[in-house]
Structure formats: structure tokens, C-alpha cells
């Protein structure tokens, strides 16, 4: 395939790598046992800052982000003029590295942009129906990653690529084939999408289609 995600890796378990002291596992590159965060006060501040942002209360959003930056002894604090979704997502990336599922968070925010009609920090708008074609997730990946779509290749010369429709996983073919009483549609961009059927919009349509 010429356009697909070609590289995945185990998700890091801990903020930092912890040495495994057991003699028989000295070459274990996964690290040893350590405590992991379940939920942190810093993320609570970031979630509230995001809520204030959606409400247009920019100074309150800035105050919440600054609480985290003060604790981290940052030299620069934010004002209301600095606040947009990119500011909060940048702070999440710094504060919650290895703790949050970044793809999940960016997809969540993509849906929020799609339902609210608000513009992102670049002035772009999105719709839920077209997230597989353009989304906040894809715009961030394209802007900040230095891996996908940047000419990086495998030893065999295959380039690592990513497309807007990779915001969603494909529906497993086994699930589609296993549902014999109806059609489970495939996500846009994946093989089988051309066989999709329009969903029923009324009960009468559903009864007539049986």
C-alpha cells in the first residue's frame, strides 16, 4: 500500500524508565515495576482551562494553565491574549507526556470543534461528518510531527505516511462479515467503504427494509 500507517510501538508505561534490579532481567528494556499516575491535579486544571476556553472566559483559562506553569517554575506566564486550543494542547503535551493517550485527546477535541463550529488557533473550522477528510488531529500531526509525510523511510525505502482518514481505525472485516442481518459500514478511506449503505433515518424505513 502506498498510503497507510506503517509504524507502531509499545506505549510507554511510566513517565521515566525504571531500572529492573532483578538479575535475570538486566537486559529488559521495558523497565522495572513502578507506580503510575491514574489521575493528576494538573490535568484537572487543564480540563477546566479548556472548559473556560470553550465558554470564552480566556483569563480564567490562562489562570488555570499558569497554576501548572508556576509549579514547574516556568519563567513565562500566559495572558488572556495567549489563550487558544493550541496553547492548552501544547501544555498538555509538556505536562502529560507518556501519561495521556495523545491521539484520543486530539480526536476528542476534533469532535468538539466539529460540533461547536468554533475556529481553531489557525482559524480553521471542522464538521463531524468530514473529520476523516480534515480534522484538528490531522492539522496538529502535519504541523508538529517530524516523522510522517516528511520523507522518512524504512530500510526498504517505504515512506512513513499518514492521511486524514487515519483519525479513525478501520472496522474489522470480521465484524462486518459476522453481522448477517444488516450492513456494518466501513470508515472512510479503508477497503470496503464503497459498499457502505445509508443508515435508516425513520422507523418506517427500517421496517420496510426488513
Amino acid at each position: 500500500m502506498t498510503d497507510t500507517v506503517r509504524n507502531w510501538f509499545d506505549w510507554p508505561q511510566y513517565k521515566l524508565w525504571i531500572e529492573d534490579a532483578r538479575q535475570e532481567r538486566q537486559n529488559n528494556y521495558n523497565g522495572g515495576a513502578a507506580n503510575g499516575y491514574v489521575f493528576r491535579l494538573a490535568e484537572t486544571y487543564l480540563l477546566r482551562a479548556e472548559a473556560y476556553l470553550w465558554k470564552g472566559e480566556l483569563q480564567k483559562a490562562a489562570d488555570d494553565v499558569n497554576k501548572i506553569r508556576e509549579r514547574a517554575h516556568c519563567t513565562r506566564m500566559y495572558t488572556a491574549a495567549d489563550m487558544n486550543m493550541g496553547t492548552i494542547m501544547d501544555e498538555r503535551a509538556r505536562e502529560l507526556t507518556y501519561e495521556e493517550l495523545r491521539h484520543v485527546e486530539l480526536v476528542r477535541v476534533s469532535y468538539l470543534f466539529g460540533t461547536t463550529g468554533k475556529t481553531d488557533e489557525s482559524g480553521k473550522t471542522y464538521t463531524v461528518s468530514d473529520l476523516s477528510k480534515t480534522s484538528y488531529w490531522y492539522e496538529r500531526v502535519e504541523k508538529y510531527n517530524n516523522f510522517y509525510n516528511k520523507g522518512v523511510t524504512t530500510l526498504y525505502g517505504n515512506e512513513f505516511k499518514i492521511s486524514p482518514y487515519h483519525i479513525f481505525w478501520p472496522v474489522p472485516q470480521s465484524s462486518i462479515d459476522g453481522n448477517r442481518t444488516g450492513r456494518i459500514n466501513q470508515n472512510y478511506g479503508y477497503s470496503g467503504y464503497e459498499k457502505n449503505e445509508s443508515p435508516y433515518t425513520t422507523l418506517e424505513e427500517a421496517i420496510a427494509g426488513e
Side-chain angles (χ1 to χ4, degrees):
M1 299 178 67
T2 59
D3 187 8
T4 185
V5 178
R6 291 195 178 90
N7 191 55
W8 297 102
F9 55 89
D10 291 337
W11 188 259
Q13 297 181 23
Y14 314 114
K15 190 82 170 186
L16 299 172
W17 183 81
I18 306 297
E19 182 179 5
D20 193 328
R22 291 175 291 178
Q23 184 67 35
E24 71 276 11
R25 294 176 61 85
Q26 295 235 341
N27 293 324
N28 173 28
Y29 294 103
N30 290 325
N35 294 327
Y37 293 111
V38 176
F39 203 76
R40 292 211 288 119
L41 180 60
E43 185 172 19
T44 306
Y45 275 116
L46 287 167
L47 288 172
R48 189 169 70 173
E50 186 182 323
Y52 281 137
L53 179 70
W54 290 115
K55 292 174 63 179
E57 299 181 31
L58 303 185
Q59 187 55 55
K60 289 183 178 180
D63 292 341
D64 276 349
V65 176
N66 287 338
K67 280 287 186 181
I68 300 169
R69 296 180 66 80
E70 288 170 4
R71 189 221 65 230
H73 303 289
C74 294
T75 57
R76 179 194 170 192
M77 297 297 149
Y78 291 131
T79 66
D82 298 314
M83 295 312 298
N84 55 51
M85 187 57 69
T87 303
I88 294 177
M89 287 296 108
D90 289 347
E91 199 67 30
R92 288 188 71 93
R94 288 186 286 266
E95 181 66 24
L96 302 174
T97 300
Y98 292 164
E99 295 178 41
E100 73 170 5
L101 297 175
R102 186 65 170 177
H103 179 264
V104 173
E105 285 301 306
L106 290 176
V107 173
R108 175 182 66 80
V109 173
S110 294
Y111 267 100
L112 288 171
F113 274 120
T115 55
T116 62
K118 295 181 180 293
T119 58
D120 67 8
E121 60 269 20
S122 300
K124 296 181 179 179
T125 59
Y126 310 95
T127 60
V128 170
S129 60
D130 282 334
L131 289 182
S132 291
K133 300 176 182 178
T134 178
S135 67
Y136 186 68
W137 164 80
Y138 184 72
E139 292 299 321
R140 291 279 301 191
V141 171
E142 272 290 278
K143 183 176 181 179
Y144 293 110
N145 97 95
N146 59 1
F147 187 77
Y148 294 116
N149 303 342
K150 299 299 188 295
V152 180
T153 61
T154 67
L155 294 176
Y156 302 101
N158 296 318
E159 183 180 353
F160 292 100
K161 293 185 177 182
I162 201 166
S163 293
Y165 67 84
H166 287 127
I167 187 174
F168 303 123
W169 289 104
V171 177
Q173 190 62 44
S174 58
S175 298
I176 295 175
D177 295 339
N179 187 45
R180 301 186 179 185
T181 61
R183 173 69 190 177
I184 295 180
N185 286 342
Q186 181 58 271
N187 285 326
Y188 174 82
Y190 297 102
S191 177
Y193 173 80
E194 67 281 358
K195 300 178 182 178
N196 284 4
E197 299 176 1
S198 299
Y200 297 128
T201 57
T202 65
L203 178 60
E204 289 74 18
E205 288 180 359
I207 294 175
E210 290 182 351

